[in-house]
Amino acid sequence: MRKRYRPTRTGSRARSMRLVAAAALAVLFAAAPGVASAGARSVGKPAAAEAGHQARATVFGSSVAAARNADGRLEFFGTNSGDAIFHRFQNSIGGSWSPWAQFDGGLRAVAAETNADGRAELFGVNGGGAIFHRWQTSPGGAWSGWEQFDGALTSIAAARNADGRLEIFGANSAGNVYHRWQTAIGGPWSNWAQFDGALTQVAAETNADGRVELFGVNSAGGIFHRWQTSPGGSWSGWEQFDGALTSIAAARNADGRLEIFGTNSGDAIFHRFQTTIGGGWSPWAQFDGALSQVAAETNADGRVELFGVNSGGYPFHRWQTAIGGPWSNWVQFDGLLRG
């Protein structure tokens, strides 16, 4: 029986075990302070909140990410306050979890997605904004070394196109929003292309018909989304949700309806979902507990699982107890991640 807790801002109920931070990998040097602006599209856009005001401290994306292995076992990734990178995985589909294992290198924010052949791929940005990725060399197997992308970002997200090509999305320290994609399944990558608008946090998921949808939050907490108008095709303009968030994540339910999750400046946790496949959205509903960072992934049987970290660094998760159905209580993982 796993102990169940409610995540609190202070983490007072959490176990005190702390993962030891690793030294940042020396070869991960800072990239140029921007990325190419090719491919911009002019449509209605989310504006930066503090235009013309003194710059705020850099806001980084989520310290946690999740992906599903080829055999259906979820894998959970996270970075701690020292930028050390950890992962753990289900020992069986929907079952217990392995201990934490540490990757080399140092990252501040992470994202993960599964390639068409079932190999999980991890993406991340370090404290200098440099962008890296690594991948399983066989489904569920060993991992490649780190490979660096050009450019600089502070937030990153990933999704898989209908034809199996991965696409990554990110925002930089100025709030500019970019994306790039594999030009062949598992193959090389396009150049960066810039979207209009300004965001600080991004998330992405693929609709049931294969159209990728991008979600984001700007520096005022405004919540936006846009989507491919055809699988792998051009993009809609930005559309704004009501409410305000500081972090965001997305997953797809078994019946194809997307669900988004987020936390606000008070660490309250909310979610909403499409009421029909590719259609309108439900109102926001609040979960109990308090988190500052979130990630989500779908189990092999279609039950969505939500992961998060509170402001004290304590990681938690909860899951649908039936497909599209009610949710379990929060369960705490051991260890500490960046809150």
Side-chain angles (χ1 to χ4, degrees), residues 40-72:
R41 296 181 174 91
S42 296
V43 290
K45 60 184 179 181
E50 297 279 278
H53 289 221
Q54 186 174 0
R56 294 180 174 182
T58 300
V59 176
F60 282 88
S62 183
S63 62
V64 291
R68 190 170 71 220
N69 280 285
D71 62 2

Side-chain angles (χ1 to χ4, degrees), residues 188-257:
W189 291 80
S190 72
N191 294 323
W192 290 107
Q194 186 176 357
F195 284 122
D196 61 295
L199 297 172
T200 58
Q201 305 281 322
V202 289
E205 186 53 275
T206 308
N207 281 278
D209 63 0
R211 293 176 303 108
V212 173
E213 191 152 347
L214 174 63
F215 302 88
V217 178
N218 71 9
S219 56
I223 312 158
F224 296 86
H225 66 136
R226 71 189 313 167
W227 51 90
Q228 292 174 336
T229 56
S230 61
S234 61
W235 289 79
S236 72
W238 290 108
E239 184 175 286
Q240 186 169 4
F241 286 117
D242 61 294
L245 297 174
T246 54
S247 72
I248 194 163
R252 190 172 74 213
N253 280 280
D255 63 1
R257 294 175 303 110

Side-chain angles (χ1 to χ4, degrees), residues 27-204:
V27 299
L28 303 189
F29 54 88
V35 291
S37 59
R41 296 181 174 91
S42 296
V43 290
K45 60 184 179 181
E50 297 279 278
H53 289 221
Q54 186 174 0
R56 294 180 174 182
T58 300
V59 176
F60 282 88
S62 183
S63 62
V64 291
R68 190 170 71 220
N69 280 285
D71 62 2
R73 294 175 303 111
L74 298 191
E75 191 151 354
F76 181 41
F77 306 86
T79 65
N80 70 8
S81 60
D83 291 350
I85 313 155
F86 298 90
H87 66 130
R88 68 190 315 167
F89 43 83
Q90 291 174 333
N91 294 309
S92 59
I93 297 173
S96 62
W97 290 79
S98 73
W100 290 108
Q102 187 174 353
F103 284 124
D104 62 320
L107 293 174
R108 186 71 51 87
V110 288
E113 185 54 274
T114 308
N115 281 277
D117 64 359
R119 293 176 302 109
E121 191 153 348
L122 177 62
F123 304 87
V125 298
N126 70 11
I131 313 157
F132 296 87
H133 66 135
R134 72 189 311 166
W135 52 90
Q136 292 172 337
T137 55
S138 61
W143 289 80
S144 73
W146 291 108
E147 183 175 287
Q148 186 173 359
F149 286 118
D150 61 294
L153 297 173
T154 53
S155 179
I156 194 164
R160 190 170 70 221
N161 279 281
D163 63 2
R165 293 175 303 110
L166 299 191
E167 188 157 355
I168 58 173
F169 306 85
N172 68 11
S173 59
N176 298 321
V177 189
Y178 298 89
H179 65 136
R180 72 190 310 169
W181 51 90
Q182 290 174 334
T183 56
I185 296 173
W189 291 80
S190 72
N191 294 323
W192 290 107
Q194 186 176 357
F195 284 122
D196 61 295
L199 297 172
T200 58
Q201 305 281 322
V202 289

Side-chain angles (χ1 to χ4, degrees), residues 272-290:
R272 72 190 311 170
F273 44 83
Q274 291 174 334
T275 54
T276 58
I277 297 173
W281 292 79
S282 72
W284 290 107
Q286 187 173 356
F287 284 123
D288 63 317

